[in-house]
Amino acid sequence: MADWTFPRFFFYLLLPIIASMLGLLLIPRPHPDTDLEKEFYCNRLWFFGLLTAMSVVSLLEDLFRSHLTLDLQLGIRVAILVSAGTGFAVGSKRAQLPIAVAVLFLALAHIGIGFWRL
């Protein structure tokens, strides 16, 4: 049985906390004159920064539990980390769509492989 401390418990709660914050950034409060593109570019650094942090926390969690294995899941998580870091660093409007599509595809692949292994 593991020794649970508050810092360890908080660390395991970081993934759902960050996921909730990402959801808040993606879906703005509805107003009739909300410009979604403008909202995205206002929140772009926060979104990709949190997505990068989420990838790092996920990798650290597996590393601390000694479950970090070299497999397809690890490769996908590293690819998400690189894509999110690129989205954070590159502000070009032309680059944002391919980065968003890549992150979406990688996230769906990560989830799909996880369910396939159940």
Side-chain angles (χ1 to χ4, degrees), residues 30-89:
H31 293 298
D33 44 323
T34 300
D35 183 5
L36 293 178
E37 183 178 4
K38 183 180 175 187
E39 288 287 325
F40 171 77
Y41 284 103
C42 285
N43 295 330
R44 181 185 66 82
L45 293 177
W46 279 105
F47 178 78
F48 284 115
L50 287 171
L51 190 59
T52 302
M54 189 173 181
S55 298
V56 169
V57 168
S58 173
L59 291 169
L60 287 174
E61 183 179 313
D62 279 356
L63 183 66
F64 290 155
R65 291 188 302 163
S66 301
H67 292 296
L68 195 60
T69 57
L70 295 175
D71 60 358
L72 183 59
Q73 290 286 71
L74 176 63
I76 289 174
R77 288 190 295 172
V78 170
I80 291 172
L81 176 65
V82 170
S83 298
T86 303
F88 183 85

